[in-house]
Amino acid sequence: MDVFNIHIEFDSQVFRNTVEQHIKEKKKAYVCVVDANVITIAQKDLKYREIVKNATINTCDGSSISKMVNSIYGTHYSAFNGPELFEYYIERPYKHVLVGNTAKKVEQIKEFVKQKGVDVDLQHVDVPFIPVDQFDYPAIAKHINELKPDIVWVSLGAPKQETFISNIFPYIEQGVLF
């Protein structure tokens, strides 16, 4: 469904099928997890809107968005938000890479998942704290590609992470970038 010029997939099964098909076929794709902040920025910044619109698939990250859509269109959608999505995939037997954040956070995630009885294959790619246009995308992508991930989690905050994903995407060989 289009919400303020952005297509959002509210059916979590369609979303999962799309992501998992790309993983199975070792194809690359990118996902935007759309919340009110993303929608607001996309209305003001047309380049950013195109980044979000060009995602392979988007999901709704906010109950306020699903409530608004349900109120306007008489639907019964719910959000498949970032934390739910992360928990769902991090517990699956995929090769994961976390770009950004800290090595300490990676260890915390591994420990959290281990307590649930899951051994996660999670690597970390550290990037400097710099403006999004100053990253060495070919070098970062080379590191990511060497790891051959199924899923790449980009943890830089919106709108920086979506712009980062769009900029690195041409250099990525496989994996679904979130």
Side-chain angles (χ1 to χ4, degrees):
M1 160 170 276
D2 286 344
V3 179
F4 297 110
N5 300 310
I6 297 171
H7 186 80
I8 300 175
E9 181 55 64
F10 286 94
D11 186 327
S12 61
Q13 193 57 52
V14 169
F15 179 86
R16 284 187 202 115
N17 289 346
T18 301
V19 168
E20 290 163 20
Q21 189 65 33
H22 279 79
I23 292 170
K24 179 181 176 186
E25 295 175 6
K26 300 290 185 194
K27 291 173 142 181
K28 63 181 183 175
Y30 77 88
V31 172
C32 294
V33 183
V34 179
D35 63 6
N37 182 47
V38 170
I39 289 176
T40 301
I41 295 168
Q43 299 318 300
K44 297 176 184 178
D45 183 338
L46 298 181
K47 185 176 178 186
Y48 181 73
R49 183 189 304 168
E50 286 304 307
I51 290 169
V52 178
K53 285 177 72 172
N54 288 330
T56 306
I57 194 164
N58 297 316
T59 187
C60 178
D61 191 29
S63 61
S64 61
I65 296 169
S66 58
K67 285 180 184 176
M68 176 191 63
V69 167
N70 291 338
S71 177
I72 293 170
Y73 298 104
T75 54
H76 301 286
Y77 294 136
S78 60
F80 186 32
N81 66 39
E84 291 172 331
L85 184 137
F86 184 76
E87 187 172 349
Y88 177 82
Y89 283 107
I90 201 72
E91 295 178 3
R92 300 290 181 276
Y94 296 130
K95 290 181 74 173
H96 301 268
V97 172
L98 178 66
V99 176
N101 220 304
T102 64
K104 181 179 178 183
K105 179 55 74 177
V106 169
E107 292 310 312
Q108 289 173 333
I109 292 167
K110 287 180 179 180
E111 185 56 36
F112 175 77
V113 176
K114 187 177 182 178
Q115 289 175 2
K116 292 180 155 198
V118 177
D119 188 27
V120 64
D121 184 355
L122 176 61
Q123 302 296 315
H124 181 235
V125 173
D126 195 22
V127 293
F129 188 75
I130 57 175
V132 74
D133 61 341
Q134 293 180 9
F135 286 109
D136 182 349
Y137 290 103
I140 297 168
K142 183 178 184 295
H143 189 179
I144 293 169
N145 289 333
E146 288 169 353
L147 297 170
K148 300 191 182 315
D150 296 310
I151 296 178
V152 179
W153 302 99
V154 179
S155 179
L156 301 174
K160 188 175 186 178
Q161 61 199 17
E162 290 82 13
T163 303
F164 178 94
I165 288 170
S166 177
N167 290 345
I168 202 166
F169 194 70
Y171 303 103
I172 295 296
E173 294 169 357
Q174 74 177 53
V176 178
L177 290 86
F178 285 84

